Structure formats: structure tokens, C-alpha cells
Amino acid sequence: MNHPNEIKLIIDDIPVEVPEGTSVLEAALSVDITIPHFCWHPALGKAGACRVCAVKVLEGSPRGVQMSCMLPAQDGMVVSTTDPEAVALRKGVIEWLMINHPHDCPVCDEGGECQLQDFTIAGGHGLRRYDGRKRTYTNQYLGEYIEHEMNRCIQCYRCARFYQEYAGATDFGVMGRGNMIYFGRQGDGPLESPFSGNLVDICPTGVFTDKTARFRARYWDYDLAPSVCPHCSLGCNITPAARYRELLKVIARRNDSVNGWFICDRGRFSNGAVNAPERPRQALADNRPVSCDEAMDALLERLTEFLELNGPASLAIVGSPRMSLEGNIMAARLRELLGAGTLSYFDDRLQAERTMEAASLLTTANAASLADVRKADLVAIMECDLLAEAPMMALAVRQAWRGGARVYVVGCDVPFDSAQGTKTLAERSRSPASPTHPGPDSVPPDRPDAPRTRPGAGCPPPLPAPGGARGWSGSRPGVCSRTRSHPATPRPVRGSATPRGQRCPHC
Amino acid sequence: MIPEQLRQELKRRVADAVTPREAAVDVMKELQRHCGWLTDEAVAEAAVLLGISTLQVEELATFYEMIYRRPVGRNVIHVCDSVSCWAMGGETLLAHLEQHMGIATGQTTPDGAFTLLPCSCLGNCGNGPTLMIGETIHHRVTPEDARAILARAMDQGAP
């Protein structure tokens, strides 16, 4: 059935149907025609900054060579991406973009996974004609996680748009103008956004690369596998990249109904525990190294002995809220199989009851995905510090807020600004009068009509938390020595400088 | 530190703007007028007044070429450095001024009287070559005119 707002156009002799408001670039991508593009990104939209997505409009208005990202698809339009005029323009623009690019691919970590490499080759610019001086920059120290190399920049503005508009942080942006443009901070210092790692993925070339995996491997060296982030319950999709059995880096994997294109820094930079030498890698039985099969046999033997002696009722199978869903389901299966008397996932009864209660309220009809949250009209956050609990949910709420949603925080202690991502807890704890950071009432420029939030509007008194901790979100006083002393402690997600609400990522 | 009166005046202007950011150029220009150039302290002051981060003020300050993030002389000479003025002898004018004042573009004379800056289009293309000193635009400037303009500015600036 044809949707009333469906647009029909022809791109390279292929009929395309897209909803009204779709750009010609997106329409072309929808039928697998790739037009080179840098500034346009599905999550950020268009900027019209790179001038590389030229196509020729053969029929429709305006005719002639146009930027496909800026051009809305119209009924009856006929577009060519292969017209010699468009091809020549793209080739020229790419050549200009490459004028200042250092061509240091052999020593660049982006090499092999670089959009600039791909589109330079695709655009047909294979020989450098320019032999003048190149623009050079002094790089900044951006913290222990991101390496800065401004000389490679092609000024697509993706980083600044993501960082300030999408993620709402204000310590990184674009300075200067024209040929003297600089993407960075006001001075050296770690990036403050808990989503800063996405700069690595979003930069079409190697201005921002993952410092933790610097000079370790090429794209084709990695063992890659689609995976799900284990660091909170949201289930953001990731691609861990390993080499020689060492997890080198984590890359966001696109899933439009969950995390979209991005992941948080906790998910990206918490490899320490995975690679920790203390991590058991050898099965032991009675302190004797054995094969995995032998260990399983030994376990079964002991279990059988135990069950014979004590009966299944005295056996407890223990899972954990920190374990993966798959692991916890296996724990339940094991319990069934052995007829164990106890199956425990929580360390106290109240926590278990509350979780059961909350889970029982969820139905397929009322459960919302992160994609639903991003499009919500109203978001109520119930006694939860989103940035500490599940950072990507805070990012999703921010997208809803940017789209005009009203956001309420019920439960008083964490104002909404952390959900916006415009200000983090770390900053708040630093200095309330710090000139760098706007007060909670400030209205960000990208949403002038922003409704003022009402922290704690009509909020009920907080629920009594068991043992003085904060219910299901609190970390317990007793933690293992790895949590306390591991040398490669992953960076805490900024914005959760308070110990409360942080979970140990080590197991 | 800026005078309380100036701060209150700027606060009022920010409050009158539709969005605070809209008042940014106004605030930066006033602070520049007060300090001579937009000092780091003035950037911090502007950030507080506008409710944006210092980086965000820096973004705007470095975008506009008539906001000075380094100390400048008492008079700033902007010589148009765009295509229409080039065609009418703008480059010769700039070279002449450099020679006359004994400084390169971007520098300030040792007595602190003049800073010479090239500048993207001053919007006076029909009357090139153009230069601007203080807030006055001069049309069809010959090297002789330029010397006279400097001398007048010197006289006016003299104590």
C-alpha cells in the first residue's frame, strides 16, 4: 500500500520510494547506492559542511549538481550519482579535503577502517597534485582514552555536533574559522562527557583514535564478533575487537532499537577486567590444573556425592544481577536439572521482591526500548541516577528532550540535568559557582523553549532502602580486593564520581 | 573583575535576548571594549553571564575576527583581504602599511598605537580597497590616504 506521504523518485535508473522529508542521500542509501559523505551521519543528520555528496538532478527542482544530504527527495525527481559533472565535483572536493591531510595512514590507527580512505579511493583521487605546505596543528591531551591528531581533520564537524548537540557536553567543540579551524578543548585535559569514546567511531578519519589500543592492530587483524555490552542492563550492542586472545577495544555496533550508533565510555573502556592476568584461565581440580572437561566431570562427581549425602533441598544455585541474562537462565536450568532447593540471584530478600515486582509490571505492550525512549513525549525518571546506572538511557532521554519531550525526575536527589547530559555529577560536586558550567536552570541553546524541569515535582518520600544502601542500585559495603586495588581500574563513568550507584566492573 | 555596573548592564541585555546565546557577541564586544581585548578573565565572565561554558565562548570569540583574543594596540587597523579589494590594490595597500609602520600583519607597533590585521570582506566591495580603523570604514584607500588616516588617528589618540 502506498503511504500518502510517500515520495517516488528515480536514482540511477532505480525507482525509490521514501517517506516525505527524506534526503536524496538517505534515499540513495536505502537502495544501497553509496554516495560519498562525511558530514552527514544517520544519528546527527546533515550539516552541508563537506560538499562531497554531490549528485546531479536531471529532473525536478533545483536541477543540476546538488548536495544530496541537503536536498529533500521530491516526487518525480530523477537523480544521477554517476553523471560526469557530479563525479568530477566529488573528485575535486575530495582532492581539496586531502590537501591538508597528512597521508600518514601507515602510522594511523584508523587505517583500514577509515571512511576517508574509502571515499578518497571511491572518488577517484589517487594521485596527489598539491605539493605545497600543509596546515599543521598542535594536538591536545584529551585524557587516557582518546588520542588527538588534528592534522588529519577534514572539518566535517561530526565530533563537535555529536559532543555538544547529541551528548550535551560543553567542554569540547570547534574553535576558529575557515582554514584555521580547530576541534578540541579550550586547553589540555580529559574529555568530560561520559560518551566521549564515540568520537573514535564517529570521526570519519583518524583525528580521534582509541588510545587504549593504539598501535596494537589493524582492522583485519582483529577477531571481531557481534556482542552485547555486559556493563549494565540496557544491552547495548557492541563489537569487541581482540587480537591474540587479548581484548583490545570495543566498538559500538549499530542497533536502531537499542543503542542506535553509540555506546557509553564505561562499555567502551572497561577492558581491564577482561584482560586481567588474575582472571582464572586454567581450570583447577583440587588445585591441580586440569582440562575444562575434566573439571566439569569433577564438578558433576562432587555434586552427585553432595546430593546423595544431603539431598537436593540443601543445594543452592547462586546467580547474580551482574551476570548475563544467558548465564542466569543457565543457572535456573541447572537448578531444575539438579532439583536444587534454592536459586538465588540477589543478596537480600527485599531486593529480590522489588525486582520481581518491577519485572511483573512489564508487559510486551508497555515495555519501552531505548528507541521508544528517544521518541517519547514525556519521560518520568523514578529515583534513578541515569548517568550512573545506565548512561545510554540518559543519552536516550536527552534525545527525547531535544525533540521536545517533558522530563520529570521523581525522587529528588538527582536533578534532571544529569539526564540531559549537559552537566555531570562530577562537575556539580566540583564547584557550584564554577564559571565553566551553567546552572541547572540554564536553557541549552539547541532547545530555547526547553521547559524548566521540576526536580522532585510531587515526589513521594524515597523508599526506605535496605541496610542504608540505595535499594537495587546501591553497591554493598563489602567488595573484593580486585575492586579496591586493581591497577588497571577502568575509568569510572564521569558523572558518577559519587561512590553511590557505581558498580564494580571487574566481575 | 569588571565593574558591577557593567555586569548589571550585560545581565540585562542577556535577559532581554530571546536566548542567552544570542547576546554573546554583544557581551563579548562590551567586555572587549572594557578590557581592550577579550582576556581569559573576560571569557570566563562572558561564560557566566551567558550561561554557557568557557569553551563555548571561545568557539564564538575565535569565530569573529573583530573579537581579539590577544592584546592589541589602541587602534586596530583591519585591511580588507578579500577578492574585490585584491582586484583594486588591497594587497599593495597592506604591504604599504606593513612597510610604513615597520610591522608585519598580526603585529602591534612598539608604541602600542596600532595593530595591523588582514580581514575577510568588510562588505564594502564597490569601494575597494577598504580598511577599517576603530569603527570607521574608509573607502578607495590609496597608500597616501592610509598614511593620512594613521596620522589623524595618532593625533586623536595623543594625550
Side-chain angles (χ1 to χ4, degrees):
Chain A
M1 201 187 75
N2 212 0
H3 194 267
N5 293 329
E6 205 79 352
I7 302 281
K8 284 184 178 177
L9 70 162
I10 294 171
I11 305 176
D12 290 350
D13 301 326
I14 301 172
V16 189
E17 275 186 47
V18 288
E20 199 174 352
T22 309
S23 70
V24 171
L25 176 63
E26 289 166 284
L29 286 173
S30 75
V31 289
D32 288 338
I33 300 171
T34 303
I35 304 170
H37 58 272
F38 293 116
C39 68
W40 180 83
H41 184 281
L44 304 177
K46 60 201 175 184
C50 71
R51 317 308 289 176
V52 90
C53 65
V55 294
K56 188 162 178 185
V57 180
L58 304 175
E59 272 173 49
S61 149
R63 281 194 196 203
V65 174
Q66 300 292 332
M67 294 304 137
S68 60
C69 74
M70 302 298 282
L71 186 66
Q74 292 154 40
D75 244 341
M77 210 175 219
V78 179
V79 175
S80 167
T81 69
T82 53
D83 185 276
E85 214 182 319
V87 170
L89 188 96
R90 290 204 297 265
K91 188 176 176 186
V93 171
I94 288 170
E95 186 168 4
W96 299 332
L97 291 179
M98 291 302 291
I99 274 184
N100 283 308
H101 192 79
H103 247 158
D104 59 344
C105 308
V107 295
C108 174
D109 267 307
E110 192 85 359
E113 44 186 322
C114 177
Q115 228 175 354
L116 183 59
Q117 280 183 330
D118 294 349
F119 287 149
T120 301
I121 300 302
H125 170 58
L127 277 177
R128 179 183 290 276
R129 291 187 290 173
Y130 176 74
D131 60 359
R133 287 171 70 87
K134 285 167 190 275
R135 177 188 65 186
T136 56
Y137 293 103
T138 305
N139 298 320
Q140 286 180 328
Y141 168 79
L142 297 178
E144 288 304 303
Y145 297 87
I146 309 235
E147 184 71 26
H148 193 214
E149 180 50 69
M150 252 312 284
N151 290 348
R152 297 177 185 142
C153 182
I154 55 161
Q155 338 39 266
C156 69
Y157 285 72
R158 274 190 195 179
C159 55
R161 285 152 65 212
F162 168 78
Y163 201 84
Q164 290 203 14
E165 292 170 24
Y166 198 93
T170 62
D171 62 306
F172 168 94
V174 50
M175 287 161 285
R177 167 176 43 92
N179 201 35
M180 304 203 291
I181 202 163
Y182 192 88
F183 293 87
R185 300 180 81 252
Q186 216 184 356
D188 283 9
L191 292 166
E192 287 168 13
S193 168
F195 308 102
S196 64
N198 293 301
L199 296 184
V200 173
D201 290 348
I202 209 167
C203 177
T205 180
V207 178
F208 305 99
T209 49
D210 190 328
K211 202 184 241 181
T212 62
R214 198 162 185 233
F215 299 150
R216 297 296 302 278
R218 283 284 179 222
Y219 194 70
W220 49 83
D221 295 327
Y222 288 129
D223 290 325
L224 299 165
S227 184
V228 172
C229 177
H231 290 285
C232 78
S233 58
L234 292 180
C236 294
N237 287 206
I238 55 170
T239 305
R243 191 186 190 195
Y244 301 139
R245 294 183 60 76
E246 182 184 354
L247 178 59
L248 290 182
K249 64 180 181 181
V250 174
I251 306 162
R253 182 162 60 93
R254 179 186 178 186
N255 184 331
D256 286 342
S257 52
V258 189
N259 51 309
W261 291 81
F262 308 116
I263 55 171
C264 71
D265 287 1
R266 189 199 297 174
R268 190 183 298 268
F269 296 122
S270 298
N271 302 348
V274 181
N275 298 325
E278 302 92 322
R279 196 179 160 193
R281 285 158 201 272
Q282 168 69 54
L284 299 175
D286 295 324
N287 274 331
R288 190 170 46 83
V290 291
S291 74
C292 251
D293 285 344
E294 281 177 80
M296 291 306 279
D297 289 346
L299 176 65
L300 189 63
E301 201 180 305
R302 302 286 160 86
L303 270 174
T304 315
E305 262 173 42
F306 177 88
L307 292 173
E308 271 170 17
L309 276 174
N310 304 295
S314 51
L315 179 68
I317 305 288
V318 181
S320 146
R322 288 288 299 144
M323 194 154 80
S324 67
L325 197 58
E326 293 86 343
N328 279 329
I329 289 170
M330 291 306 279
R333 293 265 301 274
L334 187 62
R335 184 236 189 156
E336 265 170 42
L337 216 64
L338 300 171
T342 308
L343 174 66
S344 168
Y345 291 124
F346 300 98
D347 54 2
D348 78 53
R349 189 173 293 277
L350 190 60
Q351 193 185 11
E353 281 167 8
R354 282 180 175 178
T355 308
M356 293 282 276
E357 185 76 32
S360 73
L361 295 174
L362 282 178
T363 66
T364 43
N366 71 9
S369 68
L370 280 175
D372 296 331
V373 173
R374 286 192 287 270
K375 289 191 218 104
D377 300 324
L378 188 145
V379 181
I381 302 164
M382 311 295 284
E383 210 216 338
C384 179
D385 182 351
L386 285 184
L387 269 185
E389 299 283 335
M392 285 302 291
M393 180 64 87
L395 198 59
V397 171
R398 177 172 163 82
Q399 305 322 309
W401 173 82
R402 289 177 69 209
R406 289 176 165 274
V407 180
Y408 294 94
V409 179
V410 183
C412 306
D413 63 341
V414 182
F416 162 63
D417 51 359
S418 70
Q420 272 178 35
T422 50
K423 227 176 93 176
T424 62
L425 280 172
E427 289 163 353
R428 257 184 275 140
S429 60
R430 214 174 289 148
S431 160
S434 160
T436 324
H437 308 294
D441 278 342
S442 71
V443 181
D446 51 350
R447 201 168 133 212
D449 63 327
R452 295 289 158 92
T453 55
R454 299 189 308 181
C459 68
L463 290 169
R470 218 168 144 250
W472 51 272
S473 68
S475 47
R476 303 289 153 197
V479 291
C480 76
S481 57
R482 201 199 303 173
T483 303
R484 289 195 202 285
S485 66
H486 192 272
T489 300
R491 170 169 59 168
V493 170
R494 280 155 311 195
S496 57
T498 47
R500 173 181 59 68
Q502 260 288 26
R503 285 178 180 144
C504 169
H506 289 287
C507 66
Chain B
M1 274 302 278
I2 61 166
E4 193 52 35
Q5 199 187 346
L6 176 59
R7 184 179 286 120
Q8 290 309 325
E9 165 63 16
L10 291 177
K11 268 188 185 170
R12 193 188 57 73
R13 291 199 204 176
V14 173
D16 283 350
V18 179
T19 64
R21 195 179 262 257
E22 215 163 284
V25 172
D26 204 15
V27 167
M28 289 191 299
K29 287 214 88 169
E30 287 304 327
L31 289 171
Q32 175 166 288
R33 210 188 306 277
H34 177 76
C35 307
W37 57 289
L38 197 72
T39 60
D40 290 357
E41 291 74 19
V43 168
E45 190 76 51
V48 174
L49 284 164
L50 297 164
I52 59 180
S53 72
T54 48
L55 176 270
Q56 288 170 319
V57 174
E58 189 81 56
E59 289 181 319
L60 294 166
T62 51
F63 179 85
Y64 292 106
E65 61 189 355
M66 288 177 197
I67 301 292
Y68 315 123
R69 284 290 280 121
R70 288 187 212 173
V72 288
R74 291 188 294 282
N75 299 287
V76 181
I77 307 167
H78 290 275
V79 180
C80 187
D81 190 22
S82 287
V83 65
S84 299
C85 286
W86 295 341
M88 299 303 291
E91 287 165 302
T92 315
L93 174 66
L94 190 57
H96 186 85
L97 279 170
E98 283 183 337
Q99 203 186 7
H100 179 64
M101 295 196 284
I103 54 172
T105 49
Q107 293 183 341
T108 302
T109 51
D111 60 357
F114 297 103
T115 297
L116 182 63
L117 296 177
C119 154
S120 298
C121 188
L122 284 165
N124 196 27
C125 302
N127 289 311
T130 300
L131 68 76
M132 190 169 106
I133 181 161
E135 290 186 348
T136 315
I137 295 241
H138 297 272
H139 316 287
R140 300 177 193 262
V141 185
T142 62
E144 296 72 39
D145 295 344
R147 279 201 299 274
I149 293 166
L150 289 195
R152 272 208 303 281
M154 202 65 176
D155 288 345
Q156 281 162 12

